[in-house]
Every structure is written in C-alpha cells, then in structure tokens.
Amino acid sequence: MKTYQTEKIRNIVLLGHSGSGKTSLAEAMLFEGGVITRKGKTDQKNTVSDFREIEQENERSVYSSLLYTEYLDTKINILDAPGADDFISGVVSSLSVADTAIMVINSQNGVEVGTEIHSRFTDSFKKPVVYVINQCDHDKANFEKAYESIKERFGKDVVLAQYPLNAGPTFDSIIDVLKMKMYKYPKGGGKAEAVDIPADQKEHAGKLHNELIEKAAENDEKLMELFFEKDTLDEDEIRKGITSGFLQGSISPVFCVSAENNMGVGSLLEFIANVFPSPADVGPIKTKDGKEIKYDPSAVTSLFVFKTEYESHIGEINYFKVISGEVNESADLVNNNNRTKERLSQLFVVAGKTRIKIPKLVAGDIGATVKLKNTKTNHSLTASNVSFEFPPISFPEPKFRTAIKPVTEGDEEKLGEALSRIHEEDPTIGIEYSKELKQIIISGQGEHHMNILKWHLDNTYKIGTQFIAPKIPYRETITKISQSEYRHKKQSGGAGQFGEVHMIIEPYFEGAADPKTFKIGGKDLKISIRNKEDIDLPWGGKLIYNNCIVGGSIDARFMPAILKGIMEKMEEGPLTGSYARDIKVYVYDGKMHPVDSNEISFRLAGRNAFKEAFRNASPKILEPIYELEVLVPGERMGDVMSDLQGRRAIVMGMSSEKGFEKISAKVPLAEMNKYSTTLSSLTNGRALYYMKFLEYAQVPPDVQEKLLKAYQEEEEEV
Ligand SMILES: Nc1nc2c(ncn2[C@@H]2O[C@H](COP(=O)(O)OP(=O)(O)OP(=O)(O)O)[C@@H](O)[C@H]2O)c(=O)[nH]1
Ligand SMILES: [Mg+2]
C-alpha cells in the first residue's frame, strides 16, 4: 500500500447499540473499497472485524477492531467498536483517536440505550457525529420513526442528507438531497445508477435540500453571504459548509444504508472522503503540560498508543495514531512515560487480523507495531530531541466487583500474570490483590464482562478459576473518649521486659481543636502536647499521635515503639479485624524500669493499651458508601426506586435528563453486589448507572451486630 498524506486520511469510529450493524457496515466498507472480495457476515463468523474466537462464539463484537478501506484516493481508518455496554473500553479508546463518529441506528428501533450511552462519550470527547440509519432493507424497517427518534433526542443539529424511497424488503433506492439525485441499486447492492428524482418526490426532496443548505451555510460566514446572494449553494459549497459544521460540532447529517445488501455504503464512503475532516483540519492535541501539537507531517515525530492487544505467537501488538511528523520503519523513538528507548522495527496497516507491512505512516494516520519492549496503552513515543506526553485516555470506573481464586492451589502467580495482561488489553477491568480482604478483587462493567474475562482464563490462559463473593473493606473507628493504662511485664528467665503506657483516645474530626483537659474517672486530667504526629493512613483517614509525657515518665526514645504497637492494632481493628481510622491518641504517662524497659516492651504495652481503650470507646464499624447515579426510562422508575430502598440507599435527588429520569443516591457498597444484573432485568437493559466511592459511614446497629457475630464465628473456626 502507498503512504497516504495527512489530507487524504479519515479516521472514523463506528458506534451504536449492539446489533445495529456496525460490524456489517465495516465489512461492506471494506468490500466497496476493494480491501476484501467477499463480504462476510457476523452470524457466519467470518467478518474481518469480529475475528477473535470469543467474538465468533458470541456473534458480536467484544473488542474494538482497527480496519481500513481505500476510497476516492483516500485512506479511511475504521474503528469498529462493540455496542454492548460491558465492552465500553473499545468505544473509549477508539473515540480517543477517531476524528468523526458514525452512530449506527437500527431502522427497526431508532435510538436505543446503546445509542444513548455512546452519545454521552461523543459529547465528552467533543467529536462530530453522523447518523447512519441501517437495515433499511429489513421487513420491520421504519425509517421515518427512526429519524424522528434521532431528531427528538439529539435535536437541532440533525439534518437529513438522504432518505430511502422504499424502506423494507424491496428497498433499492436512496434519494440524496445533497446531490439531488436518486440512487438505484441493483439486486445484491454495489454500484448504483444515478437517476432523476421521481416527480412525486421532487417537492419533498427540494424542501430537504434547502434545509441542508441552510444548515450548511450557518457554519461559515462567507457561505452565508453567498447563500443570501444566490439563494442557493452548489454541491461543493454545501460540502464545505458541512465540513465547517463538523469542526464546530454544529451539524449531524443523517444517512440511510443497508449494510447487509451493500446499498448506500458507496455513497456514504464518498461523503466520508469528500466531506469528513482530515486530521489536518482538526485542532491541535494538547500535551500534558499544555503544549499544542498539530497533525503536521513536517514536525518532529510523535505518536500515541491507544490500544494494546496480545496475540499468541506474536505477543504484544500496539495500536497507535501518529500525531506529528512521520514514523518510518526502524524508527528509534523514546517512550516518554518511562524514558526507555523503543525501535519500531515494523509498521503495519491493519484490517482486523490482517497486517500489511508499510514503510512509513504520516501525521494523522493510524497503524500498529509489534515487539516493543516497554510500551502499552496510553504511552507517548517521540523523537529523542523532544519529550512530551499526551494525556492518557480516561476510562470509565468499574461498577461490578467480584473476587476470584484459582481452582488449583499454586496457580496464584499464573493467574496474577494473566490478569495483569487482561487489564492491559482492557483498562476498564480493575485488578486488586487486597491484603486487607485476603482476596483477589476484580472489577469491570458488568457480569457479562466478568464472564468474558473468565472465558479468557479458561481458554486462552488455561487457568481454572472460581468467582467468589467479594468481601467489603470495612473500617473501624471510635465514637467517644476513653482512657487506658497497660503494664507489660515479663520476668521469667533471661532479661526481663517492662513497659507501662497510659493513654487517652478520642474520635478525630477534621479541624477539631485539641482539648487541654480530659475528665477521667470524675477527675480533670491536664495534658500538654509536646509533639504531634499527623499520620495519613494508607487505607484512608487519620491517626494523630500526641506525645504528652511530662517529667520523663517514658523516655522519648520509646515513643516510636508505642506508635508501632498502636499501628499494629490499627491495621487489625479490635472489632472485626478491619483497618481502624480517624483516631487521636494522647500518651500522657507511664513507667519505665531502669534495666528491663526496651522497645518490645513498649510496643506491646502501646498495642494493648490501645486495644483496651478502643474497646471502651464505643467502637463502630464503618462501611464504604458510593455515590450512585441511575438513568431510568420513566415507566420503570417505580421498580428501580423500590429496589434501591431495599439496598439501604438514600435518595439525594431526582431529575429528568435527555429522555431519562435520573436518580442520585448514596448507597453502601455491601448492598450493591450484582446491581448491574438486577437493574438490567428490571429495565430490560434500558437503564444506565455510574458509581463512585464517596465516603465511609457508620453501619446501622443491626448490621454491626451481624458483622460482629460473623467475625467471631470466623475467628472461632480458625
Ligand atoms: N436485514 C439486515 N440485517 C442486518 C443489516 N446489518 C446488520 N444486520 C444483521 O444484524 C445483526 C447484527 O449485526 P452486526 O453488524 O454484528 O451488529 P453490531 O452493531 O456490530 O453489533 P455489536 O458488535 O454487538 O455491537 C447481524 O445478524 C447482521 O446480519 C442490514 O443492513 N440489514
Ligand atoms: Mg460488531
């Protein structure tokens, strides 16, 4: 293949609800461009894009695929994203490098929940969107209804560029209101014959033509003047107006196709080549430190890796977009994220699993390379005379968690390696080896997502695993002041041990002043703080350690040992063995022995004094609370609300947003096990939700009771 120049490159991402026909459209685009000579089908497991075993087994896309086609001397890089919500990772990484999004709409259903989800991402990435109503050949096709749903949901910038004359099983003609022609397709699709618009459609087509002109003119002052002058615009002027509209995000044309029968695909490709912005048209990319890098082939070389995938026999394949300059085969670049040198010994243009070697890729193009040593998703590589980094893609937070363990003991290390690879390929999967919970916690977008992960462990990595209920990272704290004195003394044989510690503990609140006196046993106890250590605990919250020793009752050199003892108990709280937090400790008195006092003695005295004080300070268990946002179709609101009430949720607000009712709530993590599965079944998969850690809060008394009991039973078993 030849090297395409920046102006001759288009980068598109295919988005839309699962089953709308993205993979089929990609297949037709490759066929029309002559990249393939036979068109595959998803359900026959032979498309270029769904080449992975798991995709063929499921008959749907799971990961995004990079493909390309060539049309009108233009190279079109196509990223075919998966539609199912669980596989959002492929949508996000693809959008980070695409310059325009094509939202595929199923003509039977119009806007669906997948359309909604993906449009949230096109909004946040600020990418222009074109709507393609697919399956116009389907016997349940309803173009008008689908178009109305787009118009209703996405509003004023939506404008028709085409419409089908006879959507349904006899579909063969498209009226193009840009060119004011009708395209009549032969049976089996392919190259259309351009004919005059039939007389009975002329008026309707003419009206739509004017609407398109007005919308196109809106985006360019000069075009607007021209339009007022001649009361119309020619084809090229309309195209120019639409390109400007794309760049300003103020126009979204609508097309119609049948991907399956290959009708309308050629004219869509023509529009992509002629009207979609090239990387040269789009604004610069900002580096992490705010420097602007244009898609300029004559500038210094830089590229951004947006996806890493493993393939057996080959290893890691890194997919990248050239941001500036040119990348040549054998280029020596520097990975600026870890300052290591990388040689790009081979460059590829990619169509699914087919990789074609190419000597050079220029700014704006997308390709792949293999055998890099230390490079992964989100890394930036540049020529060695510069050292900037592009901001990483921010992937959505996981919202489904489970614990996993190998079936065979001893497979832990193998499992660890496999999981970290899986995370590299799909950054929306989180992996945490929790020392606290003594579990491997994996998290992702939903139950289906986790099942796909398990499939990989079974089939790709051949590691038998088992999902188990994930434990909750509880915390412990105290709710009132308490005092304790503890003497550690050991005198049997050899050197003795002696240490005595008196302490007061009280709950920590941000900004609260330190008291000067405490009432202990009916008496006022004066204290003065001689040294304060303000410790941010690694598991969240604070420990404030105050040395209030007067008159040298404990040597300053023993104070760190006492703290060590306290920390041991903070790490394994007295109630349930969970981490403790938000406590102030005042060590105000004690005793030493001239010979027997040493560090161990004071560590043990500190630890036990703290344990005793903790027990008497009305200790409480804290649980993680998450902020939850649920978007529900109005008619399912009642069911979703009553389910939330059963989960101890506190509803903070309700509002309407873009066709959904939005519920904001605070909810304990402990009650959210498998929420995505429940929500999906309550709403037929039509709801969305997001959750984020918010804070720790005290559990209600009945829950505390249950947790204490469960911990005691667990301890007795050991
Ligand atoms: N009749 C008809 N069926 C179509 C058309 N396009 C796709 N299909 C069918 O719709 C089903 C789903 O198509 P895909 O292309 O796999 O859909 P997708 O959008 O890639 O789905 P995900 O990968 O799950 O996001 C397949 O059975 C296709 O054969 C079309 O134009 N007409
Ligand atoms: Mg697909």
Side-chain angles (χ1 to χ4, degrees):
M1 183 199 272
K2 69 171 190 177
T3 295
Y4 281 87
Q5 297 309 310
T6 307
E7 294 74 26
K8 288 290 179 190
I9 293 165
R10 305 288 179 271
N11 296 312
I12 64 168
V13 56
L14 303 180
L15 302 178
H17 192 83
S18 180
S20 53
K22 299 175 290 297
T23 299
S24 308
L25 178 60
E27 192 78 3
M29 285 174 158
L30 266 61
F31 181 76
E32 273 296 289
V35 175
I36 52 173
T37 50
R38 211 173 146 254
K39 219 154 61 74
K41 286 182 72 171
T42 328
D43 49 11
Q44 287 171 7
K45 311 177 193 298
N46 58 356
T47 60
V48 180
S49 179
D50 286 356
F51 63 90
R52 304 164 188 94
E53 201 185 330
I54 181 76
E55 296 180 316
Q56 296 180 353
E57 210 167 274
N58 282 262
E59 291 180 13
R60 57 154 76 168
S61 312
V62 173
Y63 302 99
S64 63
S65 292
L66 174 62
L67 314 156
Y68 77 92
T69 192
E70 295 174 281
Y71 208 81
L72 298 179
D73 197 30
T74 306
K75 181 185 179 217
I76 304 170
N77 292 314
I78 305 164
L79 290 142
D80 174 25
D85 189 21
D86 283 36
F87 313 135
I88 200 73
S89 157
V91 169
V92 178
S93 62
S94 300
L95 262 170
S96 75
V97 290
D99 300 312
T100 312
I102 291 187
M103 190 70 78
V104 181
I105 306 281
N106 186 335
S107 66
Q108 303 162 60
N109 309 330
V111 171
E112 296 175 82
V113 67
T115 326
E116 294 282 355
I117 297 172
H118 291 182
S119 72
R120 291 183 149 236
F121 286 99
T122 55
D123 281 356
S124 64
F125 277 91
K126 297 195 171 57
K127 300 284 166 143
V129 180
V130 168
Y131 297 95
V132 172
I133 301 181
N134 183 33
Q135 310 203 14
C136 286
D137 64 288
H138 201 281
D139 51 8
K140 292 207 190 94
N142 189 338
F143 179 84
E144 283 73 29
K145 209 171 136 213
Y147 173 64
E148 278 313 313
S149 74
I150 301 171
K151 190 91 191 151
E152 186 188 317
R153 171 60 185 80
F154 300 106
K156 62 178 192 3
D157 299 328
V158 174
V159 62
L160 271 186
Q162 298 179 331
Y163 66 94
L165 189 55
N166 44 358
T170 57
F171 172 63
D172 67 350
S173 304
I174 291 173
I175 293 182
D176 187 315
V177 301
L178 194 162
K179 296 205 209 167
M180 287 305 278
K181 281 277 170 209
M182 180 164 98
Y183 291 97
K184 207 167 165 49
Y185 290 86
K187 214 172 162 27
K191 199 153 174 43
E193 186 193 349
V195 296
D196 284 342
I197 294 175
D200 63 347
Q201 291 294 323
K202 278 212 163 111
E203 197 188 328
H204 183 55
K207 196 174 138 257
L208 295 173
H209 181 66
N210 288 340
E211 277 175 27
L212 184 64
I213 291 179
E214 274 179 41
K215 196 78 206 142
E218 248 176 52
N219 305 298
D220 187 318
E221 247 172 64
K222 281 209 187 101
L223 281 180
M224 201 56 149
E225 277 170 28
L226 210 62
F227 175 54
F228 282 132
E229 230 173 81
K230 2 184 248 185
D231 203 28
T232 188
L233 294 176
D234 66 25
E235 263 180 56
D236 278 341
E237 288 158 352
I238 302 174
R239 288 195 185 104
K240 197 166 163 266
I242 299 176
T243 309
S244 311
F246 279 151
L247 296 170
Q248 293 161 37
S250 59
I251 192 166
S252 280
V254 180
F255 289 78
C256 58
V257 299
S258 161
E260 187 118 315
N261 294 352
N262 195 16
M263 292 177 185
V265 179
S267 96
L268 177 62
L269 286 170
E270 188 184 318
F271 187 81
I272 294 171
N274 288 334
V275 186
F276 275 28
S278 84
D281 298 319
V282 300
I285 305 280
K286 270 205 176 126
T287 64
K288 265 188 190 166
D289 38 15
K291 201 169 152 187
E292 294 193 334
I293 310 291
K294 282 204 204 111
Y295 288 106
D296 173 4
S298 63
V300 62
T301 302
S302 69
L303 63 86
F304 177 71
V305 176
F306 65 96
K307 180 178 158 73
T308 302
E309 194 161 353
Y310 286 87
E311 211 174 275
S312 53
H313 312 302
I314 298 199
E316 241 173 69
I317 304 166
N318 277 303
Y319 294 87
F320 62 87
K321 185 178 193 184
V322 185
I323 309 293
S324 57
E326 298 177 348
V327 180
N328 290 291
E329 194 178 45
S330 303
D332 285 312
L333 299 178
V334 177
N335 177 327
N336 289 322
N337 296 75
N338 51 30
R339 300 300 301 164
T340 56
K341 286 185 185 164
E342 294 280 19
R343 168 163 291 190
L344 279 68
S345 53
Q346 293 175 323
L347 298 177
F348 300 101
V349 161
V350 180
K353 67 168 184 274
T354 309
R355 284 181 290 274
I356 302 142
K357 270 186 73 173
I358 186 163
K360 183 165 89 176
L361 290 164
V362 304
D365 209 346
I366 295 176
T369 186
V370 292
K371 301 201 164 49
L372 296 185
K373 293 189 297 263
N374 295 306
T375 297
K376 310 225 173 323
T377 303
N378 273 337
H379 286 184
S380 304
L381 271 58
T382 63
S384 60
N385 53 341
V386 290
S387 68
F388 48 78
E389 283 171 54
F390 299 104
I393 306 165
S394 103
F395 289 95
E397 295 283 324
K399 46 193 185 184
F400 185 97
R401 63 196 277 283
T402 180
I404 190 170
K405 65 173 192 190
V407 173
T408 315
E409 229 174 279
D411 267 358
E412 284 78 8
E413 201 177 318
K414 233 167 83 186
L415 175 63
E417 276 167 25
L419 287 174
S420 74
R421 248 186 199 197
I422 288 173
H423 166 74
E424 273 164 16
E425 286 188 295
D426 181 351
T428 57
I429 287 179
I431 294 150
E432 188 204 341
Y433 304 90
S434 174
K435 205 177 112 205
E436 172 191 7
L437 306 175
K438 299 181 184 65
Q439 281 186 325
I440 306 173
I441 304 282
I442 52 171
S443 49
Q445 303 299 313
E447 206 163 359
H448 190 39
H449 199 198
M450 295 294 100
N451 290 336
I452 297 282
L453 177 149
K454 191 158 179 344
W455 184 94
H456 278 299
L457 292 172
D458 287 342
N459 295 281
T460 316
Y461 298 96
K462 313 261 186 269
I463 307 171
T465 52
Q466 196 186 345
F467 286 151
I468 45 177
K471 290 189 192 157
I472 303 295
Y474 291 106
R475 299 285 179 263
E476 297 178 13
T477 196
I478 54 168
T479 56
K480 65 173 216 214
I481 295 171
S482 101
Q483 184 260 1
S484 69
E485 293 170 15
Y486 191 91
R487 174 178 296 177
H488 174 76
K489 192 172 162 189
K490 208 172 123 193
Q491 269 161 342
S492 55
Q497 291 183 352
F498 185 95
E500 184 174 318
V501 172
H502 302 189
M503 69 168 71
I504 292 171
I505 63 173
E506 70 164 346
Y508 164 85
F509 296 104
E510 204 181 307
D514 297 316
K516 297 215 162 38
T517 52
F518 285 102
K519 235 190 180 46
I520 300 293
K523 276 194 241 153
D524 276 349
L525 180 74
K526 262 206 174 107
I527 55 144
S528 66
I529 297 168
R530 303 178 52 195
N531 184 43
K532 180 196 286 275
E533 277 182 62
D534 181 328
I535 302 161
D536 285 314
L537 298 164
W539 49 87
K542 290 259 191 198
L543 169 70
I544 312 285
Y545 181 55
N546 294 305
N547 175 355
C548 312
I549 296 290
V550 280
S553 56
I554 301 176
D555 263 4
R557 69 191 163 104
F558 292 129
M559 292 310 286
I562 298 173
L563 175 60
K564 214 165 162 193
I566 294 171
M567 280 304 280
E568 280 170 10
K569 257 330 292 158
M570 293 284 292
E571 272 183 38
E572 206 186 330
L575 295 182
T576 58
S578 309
Y579 291 130
R581 56 177 282 167
D582 298 333
I583 298 169
K584 277 173 154 179
V585 178
Y586 304 84
V587 176
Y588 65 90
D589 203 359
K591 276 199 186 77
M592 290 186 294
H593 183 277
V595 183
D596 293 347
S597 280
N598 55 17
E599 279 183 17
I600 295 178
S601 314
F602 276 100
R603 201 183 89 211
L604 291 172
R607 181 184 156 140
N608 287 316
F610 181 73
K611 183 172 156 188
E612 228 179 270
F614 196 99
R615 287 233 155 107
N616 296 324
S618 291
K620 290 279 172 335
I621 299 171
L622 305 174
E623 62 179 344
I625 304 292
Y626 276 64
E627 216 168 39
L628 175 74
E629 192 185 300
V630 196
L631 294 156
V632 208
E635 71 275 11
R636 297 301 168 103
M637 183 77 168
D639 296 339
V640 172
M641 283 292 271
S642 59
D643 172 70
L644 280 177
Q645 268 144 24
R647 295 176 187 273
R648 296 196 277 126
I650 300 172
V651 174
M652 306 302 287
M654 281 184 272
S655 55
S656 296
E657 188 185 288
K658 295 178 180 170
F660 284 101
E661 295 301 317
K662 182 167 118 181
I663 308 170
S664 309
K666 289 182 183 182
V667 59
L669 179 64
E671 302 290 338
M672 292 303 279
N673 199 14
K674 302 204 172 173
Y675 184 62
S676 66
T677 314
T678 309
L679 185 65
S680 181
S681 77
L682 284 177
T683 61
N684 291 334
R686 289 177 58 222
L688 313 176
Y689 81 103
Y690 306 91
M691 55 190 279
K692 210 168 89 201
F693 172 75
L694 176 69
E695 62 189 6
Y696 270 94
Q698 278 182 27
V699 300
D702 57 322
V703 177
Q704 171 138 338
E705 206 52 34
K706 251 194 265 168
L707 291 170
L708 288 177
K709 208 167 146 229
Y711 184 65
Q712 271 159 17
E713 279 165 13
E714 206 179 291
E715 289 292 276
E716 279 157 21
E717 265 172 40
V718 173

